[in-house]
Amino acid sequence: MAHDPGAPLRVALLGCGVVGSSVARMLVEQADDLAARCGVPLELVGIAVRRPGRPRPDVPVDPSLFTADAEELVTRADVVIEVIGGIDPARGLILRAMEHGASVVSANKALVAEDGPTLFEAAAKHGVDVYYEAAVAGAIPILRPVQESLAGDRVHRVMGIVNGTTNFVLDKMDGTGAGFAETVAEAQALGYAEADPTADVEGFDAAAKAAILASMAFHTRVSAADVYREGITEVTAADIRAAQDNDCVVKLLAICERVTSDGSDAVSVRVHPAMVPLGHPLASVREAFNAVFVESAAAGELMFYGRGAGGDPTASAVLGDVVAVARHRVAGGRGPGESAYADLPIVDLGQAVTRYHISLDVADRPGVLAQVATAFAEHGVSIETVRQQAGPDGDGRAKLIVVTHRATDSALAATVEALAALDAVEGVASVMRVEGA
Amino acid sequence: MAHDPGAPLRVALLGCGVVGSSVARMLVEQADDLAARCGVPLELVGIAVRRPGRPRPDVPVDPSLFTADAEELVTRADVVIEVIGGIDPARGLILRAMEHGASVVSANKALVAEDGPTLFEAAAKHGVDVYYEAAVAGAIPILRPVQESLAGDRVHRVMGIVNGTTNFVLDKMDGTGAGFAETVAEAQALGYAEADPTADVEGFDAAAKAAILASMAFHTRVSAADVYREGITEVTAADIRAAQDNDCVVKLLAICERVTSDGSDAVSVRVHPAMVPLGHPLASVREAFNAVFVESAAAGELMFYGRGAGGDPTASAVLGDVVAVARHRVAGGRGPGESAYADLPIVDLGQAVTRYHISLDVADRPGVLAQVATAFAEHGVSIETVRQQAGPDGDGRAKLIVVTHRATDSALAATVEALAALDAVEGVASVMRVEGA
């Protein structure tokens, strides 16, 4: 859709929370730079909020720009920025904006991960852009590099720390030795975790981002429902200590892998806590930072690191997209749309292959190791190292710590079941995947 | 320039060395993926080389595609890939290709840094693209993120390890304690340094990349000649030990900074060895890896890490650009061209502000520290820490190690001159900048 040369582009903002406030402020404060970079001025024509009358001293715009009528606002904009979040009403507003010819920039990971194809198809139909760099890893440019810079390469694996809250919690647990509940409470007090932390600690947020990353990396539609998901609520101080003993740290990882299934390429996407060896670049990602590690055939190993959340960092990603879609409006044409041509099958977790760290409480008597080793062998899981820790003197108990070679999740699950049934095994204290070795 | 729907895009390759061979191989082996991602097939119509008859078993193409006539080849392509390097004949061929309507993808840092504006103006005139992601930091997507993802942000500083050879040498010196000459010889034996390592160890390669990064980050034309440049040939084993004593590693950094000069924004661009504190993300970049650290107003700190050289990694970046310019050919339109609207002044090194680590050989007698401290104070350079190391018993000598607060390079240079003239100072053993603190 060609644009009148020189005429300002009309920008509408949906939502004015933490991210929206930053976007509005940057649109005003950097107006000259944005105009030079877009080729035309950007004119903020309205901000849709629930309560337009509420004073917002941190948003330096004419108060008459606030409106409760988002439905009307999206019909009079060239570019609509959606930072409301959630599925509805965001989806309806985005679709309505595109019907009226607007390009859309969104930070909405939940919506893109649940129903991206509906948005992409509407964008294609109406000849507009829908961009959402801010939906994954906040300020870190990761979608554009995967979609564009690596377009001539073949991505093998994308492995990311994409949720700042859980990384903050796990990093603190690693530093203090404290347990999960206590550390979440501390994160809440510091503003790193929400009052209801479910979306973060149960891995829903990371799973949405994993779906978006996998879709782009493998040119295949992957939705949040396709992602195996395990949060960090079961990670104990003992798990963290076990990781330390194994020269690892525990991280919540979003892993998108190209795998082989029945002789053909397929995709495995999963979110779970994992031990990461200290020498791996992801191990040193501290506090609430995010990082995404990409392995591809030609480029080799790449890592992208930065702030994954927060008003200004997310607004930086939003405005980068705004400049891109604005340039397209000015020049005519669209950016690269959805690419789902590869349409690879998505395998379930059982086919995912990785290494495991298993900690067993066993009886301290001869022959136990042989029984345990046999259980692994019978399920085709090969042991890399095994370490035995005697319990307190004379209590007749010991701990066996086993690290396996690469095995499928289904083989490992069957092994763990068999181990639990052994007389000599009093309990399976923990099972954790080891990634990035 | 609109393209016939469905017709293949004709691709010409100039140069078939390490990078060119990888590009040719990937064009053939990934033809189906590339066609799906570009929207049309890419047809390799020729490879210009000096000796077309030479057998090239590693390049799986019809031998008749090789030609010595690059001038003719560029007239019959839609996309020209230039991986010859150097200024001439690359420049003439690129200009000729654009005159004939082709878009260009180049990996040529020297040419873009010396004469980029000539290429950008020709591209604008002929309505074609010129892309060069591979020119900086090999496989690492860094130009596209700076130019596009951060287009809505304000970059303060770009600080990169952008030369793999020098990072390999410095990392080895750090690990072994060996000197520069010996370590370069080892790097040459391992293929990490060229027979004539001048372009790398004297910082010319890094300076070209710094100019390109600064141009994009600050929307200002910066050429290689604007870059202050110091290589690593003077870095001694003693410097490396001094850095270790200071909890630092020595890295060759390319630094592009927004600075204030006469109350207005200006740009400082420099390449030199510097001490980097161990806690900084750049400190852990080992061997021949590259990394670029970006600080911007809204996004905060970002880092991009990966392989900076090599055939396949560089080819990955080249092909990412090929897909981008091919998409533009298919859809009509161009990517973002040069953006130099800010046109900031470029300050010389004297105005660059950083911290310094200075090591002095002094007489071991009372009053020396007072003299030294006075010299610093008289030039307005504030001392952060000073540490005194006595020499061997009774030799009457000592070492003073001073770390300064932030000061201008000109103030520091004047201080060092004054220090050298002091009776009590027998010699200025080393002066090194400290960055990333």
Side-chain angles (χ1 to χ4, degrees):
Chain A
M1 202 155 301
H3 182 77
D4 268 0
L9 276 175
R10 298 163 302 161
V11 176
L13 178 60
L14 310 182
C16 200
V18 175
V19 175
S21 302
S22 285
V23 168
R25 209 190 57 248
M26 288 166 69
L27 279 170
V28 172
E29 290 176 357
Q30 299 180 28
D32 291 348
D33 278 322
L34 291 169
R37 295 173 192 181
C38 294
V40 295
L42 301 180
E43 185 195 349
L44 183 59
V45 295
I47 304 179
V49 292
R50 221 171 297 170
R51 285 176 297 167
R54 189 180 137 196
R56 298 170 195 266
D58 54 325
V59 185
V61 302
D62 180 342
S64 72
L65 289 179
F66 290 101
T67 170
D69 194 351
E71 295 273 339
E72 184 273 336
L73 177 59
V74 300
T75 65
R76 52 184 174 89
D78 302 298
V79 177
V80 171
I81 302 170
E82 184 270 307
V83 289
I84 306 173
I87 307 301
D88 292 310
R91 173 168 48 194
L93 291 169
I94 289 175
L95 293 173
R96 185 171 162 86
M98 294 196 282
E99 273 164 32
H100 283 83
S103 286
V104 172
V105 173
S106 171
N108 194 330
K109 71 214 81 167
L111 175 57
V112 176
E114 177 169 314
D115 199 19
T118 299
L119 309 185
F120 309 147
E121 283 162 14
K125 177 176 165 192
H126 299 294
V128 299
D129 284 322
V130 54
Y131 272 46
Y132 46 95
E133 178 68 76
V136 180
I140 308 174
I142 181 64
L143 297 187
R144 187 173 275 109
V146 168
Q147 182 174 38
E148 302 186 35
S149 306
L150 292 173
D153 204 339
R154 185 178 167 81
V155 175
H156 291 319
R157 181 183 290 109
V158 179
M159 190 158 77
I161 295 169
V162 293
N163 180 272
T165 300
T166 47
N167 202 57
F168 182 87
V169 168
L170 293 171
D171 187 39
K172 280 281 163 209
M173 287 173 73
D174 187 68
T176 63
F180 172 75
E182 175 185 349
T183 310
V184 167
E186 187 191 341
Q188 287 170 321
L190 292 168
Y192 284 106
E194 298 194 35
D196 175 359
T198 308
D200 294 316
V201 300
E202 295 288 4
F204 290 102
D205 175 84
K209 293 163 177 171
I212 296 171
L213 282 168
S215 301
M216 282 208 172
F218 303 122
H219 301 269
T220 291
R221 286 183 173 178
V222 179
S223 81
D226 298 317
V227 181
Y228 172 81
R229 179 190 50 76
E230 223 177 273
I232 65 165
T233 54
E234 309 289 315
V235 175
T236 63
D239 290 328
I240 303 278
R241 273 197 308 278
Q244 290 167 343
D245 288 344
N246 194 29
D247 290 329
C248 287
V249 288
V250 176
K251 297 291 187 191
L252 181 71
L253 297 182
I255 300 172
C256 317
E257 276 183 322
R258 187 187 292 273
V259 298
T260 302
S261 175
D262 296 332
S264 306
D265 273 10
V267 174
S268 162
V269 192
R270 56 194 204 269
V271 167
H272 54 65
M275 293 190 186
V276 177
L278 291 178
H280 193 280
L282 288 176
S284 54
V285 177
R286 308 290 306 275
E287 303 187 336
F289 275 87
N290 281 198
V292 182
F293 192 77
V294 180
E295 296 169 63
S296 71
E301 299 178 347
L302 300 170
M303 192 169 84
F304 305 80
Y305 167 94
R307 292 193 186 275
D312 282 1
T314 308
S316 170
V318 166
L319 283 173
D321 279 354
V322 167
V323 172
V325 307
R327 281 171 173 162
H328 299 157
R329 307 288 294 197
V330 172
R334 300 169 61 213
E338 184 194 20
S339 171
Y341 73 90
D343 197 17
L344 300 177
I346 299 162
V347 301
D348 66 17
L349 184 72
Q351 289 181 259
V353 173
T354 186
R355 294 163 65 226
Y356 297 85
H357 178 283
I358 299 140
S359 177
L360 302 171
D361 294 317
V362 297
D364 189 5
R365 61 170 196 247
V368 170
L369 179 54
Q371 277 187 39
V372 165
T374 303
F376 277 92
E378 282 176 354
H379 294 89
V381 178
S382 169
I383 291 175
E384 182 184 294
T385 60
V386 58
R387 193 156 42 89
Q388 184 150 353
Q389 286 175 341
D393 274 354
D395 81 338
R397 291 163 162 193
K399 233 181 181 36
L400 269 189
I401 293 134
V402 179
V403 179
T404 74
H405 283 294
R406 286 166 60 79
T408 61
D409 206 88
S410 54
L412 196 280
T415 308
V416 169
E417 201 172 316
L419 288 169
L422 290 179
D423 272 0
V425 172
E426 298 177 2
V428 179
S430 86
V431 177
M432 197 175 284
R433 298 172 186 88
V434 182
E435 301 281 354
Chain B
M1 202 157 300
H3 182 76
D4 268 359
L9 276 175
R10 299 164 302 162
V11 176
L13 178 60
L14 309 182
C16 200
V18 175
V19 175
S21 303
S22 285
V23 169
R25 208 190 58 248
M26 287 166 68
L27 279 170
V28 172
E29 291 177 356
Q30 298 179 28
D32 291 346
D33 278 322
L34 291 169
R37 296 174 193 182
C38 294
V40 295
L42 301 179
E43 184 195 351
L44 183 59
V45 296
I47 305 178
V49 292
R50 222 171 296 171
R51 286 176 296 168
R54 188 179 139 198
R56 298 171 194 267
D58 54 325
V59 185
V61 301
D62 180 344
S64 72
L65 289 179
F66 290 101
T67 170
D69 194 349
E71 294 273 341
E72 184 273 334
L73 176 59
V74 300
T75 65
R76 51 183 175 91
D78 302 298
V79 177
V80 171
I81 302 169
E82 184 271 307
V83 288
I84 306 172
I87 307 301
D88 294 311
R91 174 168 46 196
L93 290 169
I94 289 174
L95 293 173
R96 185 172 161 85
M98 293 196 282
E99 274 163 31
H100 283 83
S103 286
V104 172
V105 173
S106 171
N108 194 328
K109 71 215 81 171
L111 175 57
V112 175
E114 178 169 314
D115 199 18
T118 298
L119 309 185
F120 308 146
E121 284 162 13
K125 179 176 164 192
H126 299 293
V128 299
D129 284 322
V130 54
Y131 272 46
Y132 45 96
E133 177 68 74
V136 180
I140 308 174
I142 181 63
L143 297 186
R144 187 173 275 111
V146 168
Q147 184 175 34
E148 302 186 36
S149 307
L150 292 172
D153 205 338
R154 185 179 167 81
V155 176
H156 291 318
R157 181 183 290 108
V158 179
M159 189 158 78
I161 295 169
V162 294
N163 180 271
T165 301
T166 48
N167 202 58
F168 182 87
V169 169
L170 293 170
D171 186 39
K172 281 279 164 212
M173 289 173 72
D174 187 68
T176 63
F180 172 76
E182 177 185 345
T183 310
V184 167
E186 187 192 341
Q188 287 169 321
L190 292 169
Y192 284 105
E194 299 194 33
D196 176 359
T198 309
D200 294 317
V201 299
E202 295 289 4
F204 289 103
D205 175 83
K209 293 164 176 170
I212 296 171
L213 282 169
S215 300
M216 282 208 172
F218 303 122
H219 301 269
T220 291
R221 287 183 173 177
V222 179
S223 80
D226 297 317
V227 181
Y228 171 80
R229 180 190 50 76
E230 225 176 89
I232 65 165
T233 54
E234 310 288 317
V235 176
T236 63
D239 290 328
I240 303 278
R241 272 196 308 278
Q244 290 167 345
D245 289 343
N246 195 28
D247 291 329
C248 288
V249 289
V250 177
K251 296 291 185 191
L252 181 71
L253 297 182
I255 300 172
C256 315
E257 276 181 323
R258 187 188 291 273
V259 297
T260 302
S261 176
D262 296 333
S264 305
D265 273 11
V267 174
S268 163
V269 192
R270 54 193 204 271
V271 168
H272 54 66
M275 292 189 187
V276 177
L278 291 178
H280 193 281
L282 287 175
S284 53
V285 177
R286 307 292 305 276
E287 303 189 335
F289 275 85
N290 280 199
V292 182
F293 191 78
V294 180
E295 295 168 63
S296 71
E301 300 179 347
L302 299 171
M303 192 168 85
F304 304 80
Y305 167 93
R307 292 193 186 277
D312 282 0
T314 309
S316 170
V318 165
L319 283 174
D321 280 354
V322 167
V323 171
V325 307
R327 281 171 174 163
H328 300 157
R329 307 288 294 195
V330 172
R334 299 169 62 212
E338 183 193 22
S339 171
Y341 73 90
D343 196 18
L344 301 177
I346 298 162
V347 301
D348 66 16
L349 184 71
Q351 289 181 258
V353 172
T354 187
R355 295 164 64 226
Y356 298 84
H357 179 282
I358 300 140
S359 177
L360 302 171
D361 294 316
V362 297
D364 190 4
R365 61 168 197 250
V368 170
L369 179 55
Q371 276 187 41
V372 165
T374 302
F376 276 92
E378 282 175 356
H379 293 88
V381 178
S382 169
I383 292 175
E384 181 185 295
T385 61
V386 58
R387 190 157 43 93
Q388 186 150 352
Q389 287 176 338
D393 274 354
D395 81 339
R397 291 164 162 191
K399 233 181 180 39
L400 269 189
I401 293 132
V402 179
V403 178
T404 74
H405 284 294
R406 287 166 59 79
T408 63
D409 206 88
S410 54
L412 196 279
T415 308
V416 169
E417 202 173 315
L419 288 169
L422 291 178
D423 273 2
V425 172
E426 295 176 4
V428 179
S430 85
V431 177
M432 195 173 286
R433 297 173 186 87
V434 182
E435 301 280 356

